[in-house]
Amino acid sequence: MQNNSIKVNGLQKSYRQLHVLRDVNFEVEQGSIFALLGSNGSGKTTIVKILTTLLKQDSGNVTVNGFDVLSKPDSVRQSISLTGQFVAVDEILTGRENLIMIARLRHLSNPHQVTDDLLKRFGLTDAADRKASAYSGGMRRRLDIAMSLVGKSPLIFLDEPTTGLDPEARIEVWKIVRELADNGTTVFLTTQYLEEAEQLADRIAILHEGRIIVSGTLEELKKLFPPAKVEYIEKQPTLEEIFLAIVGKKKEDK
Ligand SMILES: Nc1ncnc2c1ncn2[C@@H]1O[C@H](COP(=O)(O)OP(=O)(O)OP(=O)(O)O)[C@@H](O)[C@H]1O
Ligand SMILES: [Mg+2]
């Protein structure tokens, strides 16, 4: 039994002259929450697309749930679900119809039951029969995530799941992500919000200039920086301070 849901080795990807991923290496343990951090344009979505078989790498080995993304893309797809960076709900359909459509596409035997359960879990029961075009941003995002949970995949990709959400809706999504992990689902998420990684992730990796420049648990990342002493009171660095120190330092290196 393999205990890594994702293994990435020597991953490279360029868009013409733009070398987005130069040498990316990391592993994600089964049942854990892994957060990939990086500035705008650092290549987070590119990694998500390669791992979910939407895009082919130039070189390097990538296995997802034990399947090679290049030679077994169908097996990868059947074993994952994805909530992309941009909401994928059909606006013309109601929340309920969106979920039923996915349940049918996934050939589930009980689409109505699955839909009712997800609507309840995501607090969308009252809005279920309204068109998604009339939903708020937070409701759309919740519906989007609910759609990716139809069929219970062992591994879920969430590309910036809380971007644009208000604090309350963000906390709601965090709760859902934690519940998923508690039930054994592996979660790969990208985020711009360092607090989100601090709150949720078992392991955090920072992508910068084509490479993972640091990865580890929050405690491990904090150990990289000795606590600042201010009048004999120890202050632990926040992830934001760690991120800025590392990204800033690397830039000075050049
Ligand atoms: N199809 C494409 N063709 C050319 N360049 C692309 C393409 N897709 C992405 N890029 C470029 O590759 C780089 C990485 O993009 P990517 O979307 O992976 O970044 P990201 O880390 O997800 O950014 P964000 O935080 O803004 O979502 C960017 O410079 C982007 O402009
Ligand atoms: Mg992105």
Side-chain angles (χ1 to χ4, degrees), residues 44-45 85 159-160:
K44 301 180 298 297
T45 297
Q85 184 167 1
D159 194 357
E160 299 198 22

Side-chain angles (χ1 to χ4, degrees), residues 133-197:
S133 55
Y135 283 13
S136 71
M139 291 163 83
R140 266 183 231 196
R141 203 56 181 155
R142 273 185 280 154
L143 176 61
D144 199 29
I145 296 173
M147 283 160 67
S148 73
L149 299 187
V150 172
K152 291 201 177 73
S153 300
L155 168 60
I156 172 166
F157 291 87
L158 300 168
D159 194 357
E160 299 198 22
T162 63
T163 298
L165 296 189
D166 64 33
E168 214 176 328
R170 177 165 304 149
I171 288 166
E172 192 67 32
V173 171
W174 289 354
K175 206 175 109 207
I176 291 159
V177 172
R178 273 199 211 98
E179 276 171 19
L180 285 172
D182 288 346
N183 290 321
T185 305
T186 310
V187 180
F188 180 103
L189 75 101
T190 75
T191 182
Q192 303 267 358
Y193 300 109
L194 305 177
E195 195 202 344
E196 183 156 298

Side-chain angles (χ1 to χ4, degrees), residues 14-16 18 20-21 38-49 55 85-86 159-160 190-192 207:
S14 300
Y15 298 105
R16 297 174 189 269
L18 183 67
V20 178
L21 306 177
S39 323
N40 283 135
S42 57
K44 301 180 298 297
T45 297
T46 301
I47 291 181
V48 169
K49 284 186 177 164
L55 188 69
Q85 184 167 1
F86 303 101
D159 194 357
E160 299 198 22
T190 75
T191 182
Q192 303 267 358
L207 178 67

